[in-house]
Every structure is written in C-alpha cells, then in structure tokens.
Amino acid sequence: MTIREQTQKIQRETLSQYACLSDHSRGREYSQEECPIRTCFARDRDRIIHCKSFRRLMHKTQVFLSPEGDHYRTRLTHTLEVNQIAKTLAVALRLNEELTEAIALGHDLGHTPFGHAGERALRDVCPHGFRHSEQSVRVVEKIENDGRGLNLTWEVRNGIGCHSYSNPSPEGKAKTWEGQIVYFADKIAYLNHDIDDALRGEILQEEDIPWEIKYSLGRTKSQRITTLIKSIIDSSKTQVMMDDQAARAFDQLNSFMYEAVYRNPVAKSEEGKAIGVVKSLYEYYVQHPQEMPQEYRRIIETSDVPRAVCDYISGMSDRFAVTTYERLYVPRSWGY
C-alpha cells in the first residue's frame, strides 16, 4: 500500500460517519494521477497554500484599512485563525482535517482589496455582480495557474463557495460537514478577532460589550471562542449546529459588532476613499483593457471586458491598488 492508501484506510476506520472520506471524493474537473503520499484533499490544501492569491492575502484588509501597527489582522491572519478553529472542530467531531484545512485556507482567496468596502464597490459597478465567495471559487477554477486553475476537488470548491451562505447563494449550505464547520469557524473567528482589533484601536471599550454576551459567551476572546466551539461539538449530532442559548448570544454579538464596529464612522472613515479607488480603477481598465497583464487580457477571449477587469481588481492587494491608482490619477512632479 502507498502512504496515501494507508491514510485512506485509517480515515475509513477512525472518522465519523458524517466525515467526507478522501477516497469517496467526487473528484476533479480534470482527472489526474493520484499522489502516492498525499490524499486528494491534502493535495488541494497544498495547492492553495502555494498559489499567488494566497500570498496576496497578507496585504489585504480585514476590517481596518491600512492600520498603523503590526498586530491588526489582515485577510491572511484571519484565514489562519479560521483554519485553526475549523481544525479544532474537525478533530473533535472526527471529520476530515485535510478537507477542512483546504476549505478554510481557500475560503477568502477571491476577496477584494479594502475588505467588504472593495466588495461593495465591485458589486456596484460590475454588470456580473460580485460576491467574494463566488470569486474565491472562480480564482481556483479560472484564474490561478495562468487561467488553468488549481483543479481542486469538488468538495473543496463546494465548501469555498458556500462559506458565507447567510447571504443569498444558489449553492446554499455546504454539502459536507467539513464545509459547514468552516462556515461557523469563519464567523467565530472574525467576530472575536474584530473585537480584539477594535479594542486595540480604541473603537470599543471593554465595558461597551453587552453584559448578556459576556454572561453567555465569556469575558475574553479565548472564553468566547471556547464556548462557541464547545456548543457546536456538543450539539452537532445529526447536523452541524449550536445550542439555542449559544446561537442567540452569537446572533446578539453579530448585531452588536455591526452597530459598534462595522458601521462605526471612525473605523470606516476611509472607506469612501477606498470605494472611490476601486471604482476609478474599474472605469479605467474597462476603457483600457490592453493595459492589464496578459493573464487577465486572456479572460476577455472567453468572457468579456467587465469580467476580466473585475477579476484583475479583486485580486489586487490594498497597497497595489493604491499604487496603481496613484500612477494613473495622481500627477507626478516634473523633472528633467
């Protein structure tokens, strides 16, 4: 037996009946010879970690635009925290860790520069619309690897596309338990680390957090995350879920964060400028598509200019978007 086959045998013998076994995968869009060492999901995880879109996450906004300080979250650190929480759930529920990791690490590959402000800007101007979960799937299917994509398994692509199914989505809930725990891990991660960043940025004070949330979930980030994780582990008997008390407190925390942080005029003071940058770049490249890199000009041949421009801009890091905007629109000093 190869190492991969030994791993698959261990999975069959030890994982839950609700786990997605790697040797039961629906497969890839294009068939490939199996790796003798890694399972198909481990191979997907590695492809995501080594792709360009993953590296760019380190320079993409999570909540605070270009924050001063080394300890604020970026889209990459958010992804790593989602992965850690999702893996904790996968181990406890005896689900497939490799599939869980691949979905968690790839879930935000299609996110725009400037966080959700950039997402709203592209949704406003692009006739195809824009949702970052759908774009993440597009990245791994159509954009990475010079347009050939990463050729990931169906289960990983499904989990990535369904990680934010609270928004209207034709896919709805992920078909695997691994995909569903990433959905919860994403929200557990961002609500709690955004509190941490908001406290650091003095957008929030500890006493601002409602007493009911502290009573139900805990006073610290660690306590809240532990409470929510334990609730999912204890409640997920035939479906992935939280108990009623934790779910109510979680919804209350979500509502509180939207009012106190996500719509806070201080925290969002630069969002108008960010939206202006994204929309201006979109307008420019729709009129000058020949100035985009070859890998995006190639998209025009199979789709259209707006689709190619949307793909190009959504892949930009914050600083590259700002630098490009300055090059195109800000006058430079004349010298001779």
Side-chain angles (χ1 to χ4, degrees):
M1 296 176 69
T2 65
I3 294 174
R4 171 181 53 79
E5 289 169 335
Q6 292 176 43
T7 301
Q8 290 172 333
K9 181 175 183 293
I10 293 170
Q11 290 178 348
R12 289 193 299 270
E13 295 172 348
T14 61
L15 294 186
S16 162
Q17 62 176 315
Y18 299 109
C20 181
L21 302 178
S22 57
D23 56 358
H24 290 176
S25 171
R26 296 191 192 185
R28 308 179 186 280
E29 187 173 2
Y30 307 106
S31 60
Q32 287 183 315
E33 182 179 353
E34 292 279 9
C35 174
I37 300 173
R38 297 169 297 169
T39 68
C40 58
F41 299 141
R43 204 173 184 184
D44 285 358
R45 173 201 60 205
D46 296 349
R47 289 178 179 183
I48 289 168
I49 289 174
H50 289 284
C51 77
K52 292 187 294 185
S53 299
F54 185 79
R55 294 195 294 275
R56 288 198 296 267
L57 294 176
M58 68 184 296
H59 295 299
K60 289 192 176 187
T61 287
Q62 175 60 24
V63 171
F64 297 95
L65 300 178
S66 302
E68 295 292 333
D70 295 333
H71 301 125
Y72 291 93
R73 270 71 172 191
T74 66
R75 190 63 56 179
L76 178 60
T77 57
H78 161 70
T79 295
L80 296 177
E81 292 184 27
V82 172
N83 184 55
Q84 175 267 320
I85 292 171
K87 280 189 64 178
T88 299
L89 287 166
V91 170
L93 294 171
R94 291 193 296 117
L95 301 178
N96 193 315
E97 289 180 64
E98 295 167 338
L99 173 56
T100 301
E101 276 196 294
I103 297 170
L105 293 172
H107 82 280
D108 267 355
L109 291 179
H111 225 302
T112 58
F114 312 121
H116 290 285
E119 183 173 18
R120 290 195 300 272
L122 284 182
R123 187 181 301 133
D124 287 345
V125 296
C126 183
H128 298 285
F130 189 90
R131 185 175 291 119
H132 78 272
S133 56
E134 296 174 359
Q135 187 68 17
S136 295
V137 176
R138 182 169 172 80
V139 166
V140 300
E141 289 184 341
K142 306 291 186 183
I143 299 176
E144 274 292 337
N145 201 18
D146 294 326
R148 295 187 295 275
L150 301 179
N151 196 24
L152 305 182
T153 55
W154 181 89
E155 292 79 8
V156 173
R157 288 179 284 132
N158 172 258
I160 289 173
C162 297
H163 80 267
S164 58
Y165 62 78
S166 56
N167 293 324
S169 168
E171 292 293 330
K173 190 181 296 186
K175 304 305 180 187
T176 64
W177 275 42
E178 289 81 0
Q180 292 173 35
I181 63 172
V182 171
Y183 164 82
F184 280 104
D186 181 33
K187 286 155 184 58
I188 292 171
Y190 75 64
L191 286 175
N192 283 286
H193 66 49
D194 290 349
I195 289 176
D196 201 26
D197 283 356
L199 291 171
R200 180 174 291 107
E202 299 183 351
I203 302 299
L204 279 183
Q205 301 298 322
E206 194 70 51
E207 55 269 23
D208 295 333
I209 302 173
W211 179 87
E212 297 90 337
I213 293 174
K214 293 178 181 178
Y215 177 79
S216 297
L217 300 181
R219 294 180 174 274
T220 67
K221 177 183 66 175
S222 177
Q223 289 172 350
R224 289 188 293 268
I225 291 175
T226 299
T227 299
L228 292 167
I229 288 175
K230 190 173 186 302
S231 172
I232 294 172
I233 292 169
D234 292 342
S235 304
S236 298
K237 305 303 183 183
T238 59
Q239 61 177 318
V240 180
M241 61 182 294
M242 294 180 184
D243 66 80
D244 290 342
Q245 181 179 349
R248 285 194 298 271
F250 191 58
D251 289 342
Q252 186 179 5
L253 177 60
N254 187 63
S255 298
F256 165 72
M257 287 298 290
Y258 267 91
E259 292 302 318
V261 177
Y262 302 142
R263 298 191 182 112
N264 187 295
V266 176
K268 300 301 176 181
S269 60
E270 297 297 300
E271 275 199 356
K273 297 176 186 177
I275 290 171
V277 167
V278 171
K279 290 185 175 181
S280 296
L281 291 176
Y282 178 85
E283 292 170 4
Y284 181 86
Y285 284 111
V286 164
Q287 297 173 21
H288 306 89
Q290 71 280 1
E291 295 186 24
M292 292 191 297
Q294 173 62 27
E295 61 185 294
Y296 295 97
R297 297 201 304 271
R298 193 183 298 117
I299 294 171
I300 299 172
E301 300 170 8
T302 56
S303 186
D304 56 25
V305 170
R307 176 74 270 172
V309 173
C310 190
D311 287 343
Y312 181 42
I313 295 173
S314 65
M316 292 180 176
S317 65
D318 292 22
R319 63 183 186 181
F320 182 77
V322 170
T323 300
T324 303
Y325 177 86
E326 290 176 343
R327 176 174 60 81
L328 296 176
Y329 290 104
V330 177
R332 283 174 286 182
S333 301
W334 182 80
Y336 58 119

